[in-house]
Amino acid sequence: MTSAEILDACRSAIAEWRRLDMPESLNKRALAEMLLISERSLTDWQSKGMPVAHSAGRGASNEYRPIDVIEWMLRRAALEARESAKDRLDRLRGDQIEREILKEDGVLVLPDDLDAEYGAMVEAARAELLFNAPDALAAELSTILGVEVDVSVIRRHIEDALNTLSHYDPGDDDADAPADAEGQAEAECEGLDS
């Protein structure tokens, strides 16, 4: 509930108070009973700026307008709810310490750490595809097909695929590229069969 909504609810309560023909102002005892606080708290609040409708002087009872008192309480609560610069700094330091603990425990992974690990993984996959996979695939295909398979053909396709991946843009919708690559691969495979 926002401060404005709370203030509206308090005003509605005061309107209901008036509808029931309750007095426009209250003495300290009646106000304390209405707010469910002690008279001593009201005295303390009065020294902090709580509005007094009629100051009766020493020994007599002051009068308070409940709506004015409630509005003052809400303004005061809103001001106290604001974060001071020191409180904000303390909160930020606490957040930083919490992140460091989570990182040490392996619960939190920072984007920079992911970039480094992802880069190492991509480099390892690239090395495997460029250096080990073509020779192994050519040897296996040569055995299956019974003809010598040129490893450079496999290596060229892998290099083309890696080059395409290195220039990948998720915003590109180039539907013709896979069909062209597929057609080229089929033509080269037909050349292997002859």
Side-chain angles (χ1 to χ4, degrees):
M1 188 177 262
T2 66
S3 298
E5 291 170 332
I6 292 171
L7 184 58
D8 287 342
C10 291
R11 284 185 173 141
S12 295
I14 294 297
E16 182 66 10
W17 174 279
R18 289 179 180 150
R19 189 187 69 76
L20 295 173
D21 204 24
M22 302 302 278
E24 181 74 20
S25 62
L26 301 172
N27 64 23
K28 187 180 278 188
R29 175 174 285 149
L31 183 62
E33 288 174 5
M34 177 188 152
L35 297 175
L36 302 174
I37 59 169
S38 69
E39 289 183 49
R40 178 71 188 124
S41 292
L42 287 177
T43 301
D44 182 50
W45 288 359
Q46 190 172 318
S47 69
K48 293 178 180 176
M50 183 182 78
V52 178
H54 174 72
S55 182
R58 190 157 182 86
S61 183
N62 291 338
E63 292 288 317
Y64 307 89
R65 291 191 56 218
I67 193 164
D68 293 342
V69 171
I70 290 171
E71 286 177 347
W72 175 84
M73 290 170 62
L74 290 170
R75 282 192 307 275
R76 185 169 170 237
L79 287 174
E80 288 175 359
R82 290 186 186 160
E83 188 176 44
S84 71
K86 182 188 178 311
D87 290 341
R88 183 171 193 281
L89 182 60
D90 289 344
R91 181 179 51 78
L92 291 172
R93 284 182 180 149
D95 291 348
Q96 182 179 7
I97 291 168
E98 185 177 0
R99 278 191 307 275
E100 288 169 4
I101 291 169
L102 291 172
K103 187 177 176 187
E104 287 173 11
D105 291 345
V107 175
L108 177 66
V109 180
L110 298 177
D112 291 343
D113 297 337
L114 285 178
D115 287 345
E117 288 188 33
Y118 179 71
M121 180 184 71
V122 167
E123 190 57 38
R126 181 182 173 278
E128 178 65 26
L129 288 170
L130 283 176
F131 302 113
N132 297 335
D135 293 327
L137 184 57
E140 190 172 336
L141 286 174
S142 294
T143 303
I144 293 170
L145 298 173
V147 293
E148 187 68 29
V149 175
D150 186 2
V151 73
S152 66
V153 173
I154 297 170
R155 187 167 280 120
R156 188 176 70 244
H157 281 282
I158 291 174
E159 287 172 353
D160 289 346
L162 290 173
N163 188 38
T164 300
L165 285 173
S166 71
H167 295 94
Y168 174 74
D169 182 4
D172 286 349
D173 289 334
D174 193 2
D176 297 332
D180 293 344
E182 187 177 304
Q184 185 180 358
E186 286 176 10
E188 290 177 2
C189 285
E190 288 173 8
L192 290 175
D193 291 337
S194 47

